[in-house]
C-alpha cells in the first residue's frame, strides 16, 4: 500500500520521539520513501544520525544546515503526505498560529500535500482548552489527526495523551491512501442543476436550453472530493450513477425552491448551477389551449429567487456559490449578483465564448470570489471545469 509513497516525517520534542525510529523502519519496510525533519528539541530525545541511518536520507534540523534557504519549499512540494509524529503541544500551537521558527514549521507552512499529525503529551496538557482550540484549528485547515491512545504516560500517570503506536500509524496511512485524499470528507453539498419547466397547460411549458451537464459534473466532482452530495435536478434526460450523489428530481421552479429549502439547512456547501426560470405563467390552463386568434398574450409572474433566499439565510461557515450566464456586460452583472445575493463565489459564463454555455460538453468560465480573488479557466471539458471549481471551493473553505 505504501510502495513508492513519499512520506515527509516531522519529529518534535516529546519523549515519544523514540518511537520515530520504529516508525521510519516500518515505513521503509513498506516501500515508502522517507525524509525526516526534526525540531531542535527533538534531537534531545533521539539523534538525527539514528533516523538518517534508518531512512537512508539526510535529516533536516536547521535551514542553514539543510542546503539552500529555499529547500523548505521544495520539501513541501515533494511529499505525498506530511506526517508529524510525535506532534507536541508546543509544535501544534505553532502550526495552528502560523509561527515559523524552525525548519520543520517552515516546511509545514510550505506543504502542498495533505498533513497528518499524531499528538503526544501528558493528559493535563491534552485536556487543556488551548490544546483543544489548537487542534480544532488544525482540523479546520483540512489536516487529519491520528487518534491518541490511552495508557501509561511519561509522568507515570495513566490516561489519555499517548501517541499512537507506529503500527497503528502505519494502519492509518494504509486507510488514508486506500481512500485517497478526500478534502471534503464529512461535508454535505447541495447542488441544483438543469432547467425548470413552467407549464402553460397540460401539454405546453416555458423552459430553456440547459441540459444539466455542468451541474451534474459538479455534483460528481464534489462527491469525488469526499462530500455527501444532494443533487436537485430539473427535467433532463441526463443522470448520475455516482454512489456519493443522491438525486431529487423536480420539474418547476417552485419544486426546485421547495427541495432546496428543505435540504439547505444541513449543507456545508451550496452550488446553484440550475437554470431556474425567472418567470412563470400566472394562470395555467387545466385543458390544452386551442389555437384561435393570431396572437396569444401570456401574463407572467416572478418565481422565487432561490439563490437570493439562500443568501439571506446563510449560516456561519456555509458556502454559497452561484452561476451567472450573461450575453453582455458580463463581469458587471456577475459582480452585482455576487453582492446582491450574498454569494461567496460566482461562476461567470458568457454565451459569447465559443464552446461554452448550454448543451456543450465544454465550458469556459471566470470565477469571481467575494474575497476579491479571480480565476479564469480556459475552455475545458465540463468535468475538468467542475474539478477546478471544487478546488476553488476548497480554497474558500480555508480562506
Amino acid at each position: 500500500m505504501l510502495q513508492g509513497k513519499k512520506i515527509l516525517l516531522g519529529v518534535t520534542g516529546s519523549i515519544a520521539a523514540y518511537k520515530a525510529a520504529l516508525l521510519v523502519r516500518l515505513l521503509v519496510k513498506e516501500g515508502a520513501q522517507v525524509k525526516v525533519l526534526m525540531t531542535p528539541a527533538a534531537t534531545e530525545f533521539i539523534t538525527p544520525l539514528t533516523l538518517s541511518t534508518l531512512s537512508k536520507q539526510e535529516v533536516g534540523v536547521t535551514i542553514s544546515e539543510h542546503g539552500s534557504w529555499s529547500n523548505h519549499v521544495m520539501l513541501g512540494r515533494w511529499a505525498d503526505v506530511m506526517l508529524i509524529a510525535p506532534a507536541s503541544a508546543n509544535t501544534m500551537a505553532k502550526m495552528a498560529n502560523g509561527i515559523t521558527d524552525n525548519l520543520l514549521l517552515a516546511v509545514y507552512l510550505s506543504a502542498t500535500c495533505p498533513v497528518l499529525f499524531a499528538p503526544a503529551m501528558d493528559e493535563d496538557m491534552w485536556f487543556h482548552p488551548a490544546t483543544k482550540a489548537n487542534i480544532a484549528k488544525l482540523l479546520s485547515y483540512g489536516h487529519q489527526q491520528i487518534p491518541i491512545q490511552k495508557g501509561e504516560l511519561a509522568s507515570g500517570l495513566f490516561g489519555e495523551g499517548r501517541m499512537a503506536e507506529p503500527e497503528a500509524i502505519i494502519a492509518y496511512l494504509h486507510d488514508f491512501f486506500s481512500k485517497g485524499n478526500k478534502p471534503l470528507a464529512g461535508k454535505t453539498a447541495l447542488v441544483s442543476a438543469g432547467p425548470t419547466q413552467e407549464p402553460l397547460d397540460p401539454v405546453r411549458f416555458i423552459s430553456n436550453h440547459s441540459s444539466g451537464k455542468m451541474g451534474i459534473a459538479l455534483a460528481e466532482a464534489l462527491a469525488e472530493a469526499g462530500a455527501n452530495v444532494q443533487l436537485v435536478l430539473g427535467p433532463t434526460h441526463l443522470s448520475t450513477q455516482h454512489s456519493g450523489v443522491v438525486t431529487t428530481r423536480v420539474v418547476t421552479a417552485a419544486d426546485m425552491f421547495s427541495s432546496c429549502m428543505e435540504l439547505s439547512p444541513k449543507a456545508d456547501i451550496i452550488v446553484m448551477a440550475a437554470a431556474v426560470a425567472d418567470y412563470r405563467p400566472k394562470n395555467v390552463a387545466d385543458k390544452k389551449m386551442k389555437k384561435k386568434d393570431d396572437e396569444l398574450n401570456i401574463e407572467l409572474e416572478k418565481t422565487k429567487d432561490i439563490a437570493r433566499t439562500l443568501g439571506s439565510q446563510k449560516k456561519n461557515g456555509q458556502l454559497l456559490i452561484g452561476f451567472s450566464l450573461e450575453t453582455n456586460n458580463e463581469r458587471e452583472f456577475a459582480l452585482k449578483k455576487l453582492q446582491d445575493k450574498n454569494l461567496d463565489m460566482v461562476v461567470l459564463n458568457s454565451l459569447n465564448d465559443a464552446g461554452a454555455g448550454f448543451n456543450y460538453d465544454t465550458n469556459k468560465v471566470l470565477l469571481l470570489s467575494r474575497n476579491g480573488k479571480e480565476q479564469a479557466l480556459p475552455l475545458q471539458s465540463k468535468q475538468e471545469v467542475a474539478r477546478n471549481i471544487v478546488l476553488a471551493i476548497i480554497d474558500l473553505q480555508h480562506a
Side-chain angles (χ1 to χ4, degrees):
M1 183 64 68
L2 302 185
Q3 182 68 41
K5 298 298 183 185
K6 299 173 182 176
I7 311 294
L8 191 57
L9 175 63
V11 182
T12 73
S14 162
I15 185 62
Y18 80 89
K19 296 181 181 179
L22 178 55
L23 180 56
V24 170
R25 184 172 179 275
L26 291 174
L27 287 168
V28 171
K29 190 176 180 181
E30 290 262 341
Q33 299 179 53
V34 184
K35 292 186 178 181
V36 181
L37 300 172
M38 302 177 71
T39 64
T43 64
E44 300 290 325
F45 295 94
I46 186 171
T47 67
L49 178 60
T50 299
L51 299 181
S52 176
T53 302
L54 292 171
S55 66
K56 299 179 175 62
Q57 298 278 354
E58 178 187 0
V59 171
V61 179
T62 66
I63 292 178
S64 61
E65 293 175 351
H66 199 65
S68 73
W69 67 270
S70 62
N71 271 9
H72 65 280
V73 177
M74 296 301 103
L75 282 169
R77 291 176 174 269
W78 169 82
D80 293 314
V81 68
M82 184 173 189
L83 168 64
I84 301 175
S88 67
N90 182 52
T91 291
M92 288 194 301
K94 292 178 180 180
M95 290 166 61
N97 292 284
I99 297 172
T100 315
D101 61 0
N102 58 49
L103 175 63
L104 188 155
L105 290 165
V107 173
Y108 161 71
L109 279 185
S110 303
T112 58
C113 61
V115 176
L116 313 182
F117 61 101
M121 66 201 71
D122 215 80
E123 186 174 52
D124 293 334
M125 298 175 71
W126 172 250
F127 284 113
H128 195 282
T131 302
K132 294 302 182 186
N134 289 330
I135 289 176
K137 269 191 179 182
L138 295 178
L139 296 177
S140 76
Y141 300 160
H143 305 336
Q144 295 186 29
Q145 180 210 319
I146 298 174
I148 56 143
Q149 294 183 347
K150 190 173 185 177
E152 186 179 354
L153 305 171
S155 64
L157 299 174
F158 186 92
E160 295 184 30
R162 282 175 63 95
M163 186 184 92
E165 294 301 322
E167 294 83 358
I169 293 174
I170 295 296
Y172 191 97
L173 287 169
H174 283 177
D175 186 60
F176 175 83
F177 282 113
S178 67
K179 290 180 180 177
N181 179 30
K182 303 290 186 182
L184 296 181
K187 302 291 185 181
T188 298
L190 168 62
V191 179
S192 71
T196 64
Q197 294 176 354
E198 311 306 320
L200 289 163
D201 64 18
V203 297
R204 300 180 180 91
F205 56 82
I206 298 172
S207 191
N208 56 60
H209 295 293
S210 174
S211 64
K213 288 179 181 178
M214 191 69 248
I216 290 172
L218 275 163
E220 292 176 341
L222 286 162
E224 286 299 321
N228 299 309
V229 182
Q230 294 284 344
L231 173 64
V232 180
L233 183 61
T236 173
H237 69 283
L238 300 176
S239 61
T240 177
Q241 303 303 315
H242 197 291
S243 60
V245 180
V246 176
T247 303
T248 300
R249 291 275 185 173
V250 297
V251 177
T252 67
D255 296 336
M256 188 166 282
F257 180 90
S258 178
S259 292
C260 288
M261 291 306 109
E262 179 184 349
L263 296 169
S264 62
K266 294 183 179 179
D268 303 293
I269 300 160
I270 302 174
V271 182
M272 293 287 99
V276 184
D278 295 322
Y279 294 89
R280 65 185 177 194
K282 189 171 184 178
N283 298 301
V284 180
D286 57 358
K287 295 180 180 178
K288 180 184 176 183
M289 293 185 295
K290 294 298 182 180
K291 181 168 60 178
K292 293 180 181 179
D293 303 322
D294 291 338
E295 293 182 355
L296 175 65
N297 293 316
I298 301 170
E299 188 176 2
L300 302 177
E301 63 181 3
K302 266 190 175 183
T303 59
K304 292 180 180 179
D305 191 319
I306 302 174
R308 186 183 296 276
T309 304
L310 291 171
S312 68
Q313 60 190 38
K314 187 170 61 172
K315 302 181 297 184
N316 287 337
Q318 195 175 55
L319 292 180
L320 178 60
I321 291 84
F323 272 65
S324 185
L325 179 64
E326 306 295 345
T327 58
N328 61 290
N329 299 329
E330 293 100 330
R331 182 187 175 84
E332 177 187 345
F333 289 143
L335 288 172
K336 188 174 189 304
K337 181 177 286 189
L338 180 72
Q339 296 300 323
D340 290 351
K341 300 189 179 184
N342 195 26
L343 305 178
D344 295 287
M345 182 171 71
V346 64
V347 181
L348 172 58
N349 252 141
S350 173
L351 283 182
N352 295 316
D353 292 327
F358 293 136
N359 286 306
Y360 288 104
D361 292 326
T362 55
N363 209 354
K364 179 181 178 182
V365 301
L366 175 64
L367 309 183
L368 300 168
S369 299
R370 178 176 288 278
N371 59 15
K373 185 176 180 181
E374 298 185 12
Q375 183 180 2
L377 300 181
L379 188 68
Q380 311 173 300
S381 71
K382 286 186 173 175
Q383 286 73 24
E384 194 64 29
V385 172
R387 284 190 284 270
N388 281 309
I389 291 173
V390 170
L391 288 175
I393 291 171
I394 293 168
D395 283 344
L396 279 175
Q397 280 202 315
H398 299 151

